[in-house]
Amino acid sequence: MEQFGNKVTFNLEGVLKENIISSEYWKECQHLTNWTEVVDEIYNEVSHCEPWMGGNARGPSTAFCLLYKLFTMKISVDDIYGLLDHGDSPYIRAIGFLYLRYVGDPKTLWSWYERYVNDEEEIQPEDGGKTVTIGMFVRDLLLEQVCVRPLHLLFPITILVLKHKRRCVFSVTFYREAMQVGAPKCDTFPTLVTG
């Protein structure tokens, strides 16, 4: 799959990228030479999707080191679907969504994410944080200007949601508030406009 954006940083924050490539874990990951080996490593080592390790340990997380490894491998469309639909771990799936959020073309992002916005599999994106569904994680990647810190590649998004002839408009400014006050769950997100 063609990667969008900066081919050196893969649209990661500079400090994060530098910390990844200088980390011991990144150096240990150099023996991983194909998609299957990286997916196995994600399954065995990833327990959250934050860019940085939690607690007293400071450094890039295993999730983002392995995400960066996938960036450098320039994986195929089939490999991406393999991540998004993987049945063994929600973290494998989350890294697939993060891959698309960082290096996928924003104009095609909705076509990748659409069928997952109501996915009920549970995940804990932040180390020690609350559990959410994959669908909520995906919606946050689409709608939040900052998600699972640090700053992701930004692009303006408006999503128009239709459900049973009722219109619900979710935007970056009030998406979270609408979900907190019990806005209806929307089964389809038919229109995504990026600009």
Side-chain angles (χ1 to χ4, degrees):
M1 178 181 120
E2 186 175 345
Q3 294 177 335
F4 177 84
N6 189 307
K7 306 294 189 234
V8 176
T9 65
F10 303 103
N11 306 312
L12 287 174
E13 185 180 50
V15 172
L16 177 58
K17 184 235 176 204
E18 291 304 316
N19 274 275
I20 288 171
I21 62 175
S22 64
S23 73
E24 285 302 313
Y25 184 70
W26 170 254
K27 293 170 188 164
E28 292 170 15
C29 288
Q30 295 314 300
H31 73 281
L32 305 173
T33 58
N34 63 52
W35 180 87
T36 303
E37 291 174 347
V38 175
V39 169
D40 288 346
E41 187 75 3
I42 295 167
Y43 178 82
N44 290 320
E45 300 299 329
V46 174
S47 60
H48 65 82
C49 304
E50 288 185 296
W52 301 99
M53 290 188 289
N56 292 333
R58 295 311 302 163
S61 68
T62 56
F64 270 69
C65 287
L66 294 167
L67 175 63
Y68 192 82
K69 183 68 174 175
L70 291 172
F71 292 154
T72 65
M73 295 172 72
K74 297 181 171 112
I75 60 177
S76 72
V77 168
D78 287 342
D79 292 338
I80 293 168
Y81 278 118
L83 293 170
L84 302 181
D85 295 327
H86 209 284
D88 291 344
S89 168
Y91 298 104
I92 295 169
R93 299 180 70 202
I95 287 178
F97 294 118
L98 287 167
Y99 183 94
L100 290 168
R101 184 64 174 91
Y102 277 100
V103 298
D105 184 344
K107 293 176 185 161
T108 65
L109 193 59
W110 177 245
S111 65
W112 285 98
Y113 279 13
E114 180 178 15
R115 69 182 212 174
Y116 302 100
V117 295
N118 289 319
D119 191 302
E120 294 295 324
E121 184 174 12
E122 292 187 341
I123 186 170
Q124 190 177 21
E126 296 179 10
D127 189 22
K130 71 176 185 171
T131 299
V132 299
T133 66
I134 287 285
M136 291 171 72
F137 180 77
V138 168
R139 289 191 300 267
D140 280 350
L141 287 176
L142 281 170
L143 296 170
E144 295 295 320
Q145 292 297 312
V146 178
C147 181
V148 199
R149 296 170 243 78
L151 200 62
H152 287 258
L153 182 65
L154 302 179
F155 55 89
I157 296 177
T158 301
I159 292 184
L160 175 64
V161 182
L162 300 173
K163 180 178 179 173
H164 307 297
K165 300 182 184 180
R166 289 171 51 194
R167 291 178 177 242
C168 309
V169 179
F170 291 90
S171 72
V172 172
T173 56
F174 70 92
Y175 167 73
R176 282 215 182 269
E177 291 81 5
M179 295 311 288
Q180 288 174 356
V181 297
K185 178 179 175 184
C186 297
D187 296 324
T188 58
F189 286 63
T191 305
L192 173 67
V193 179
T194 61

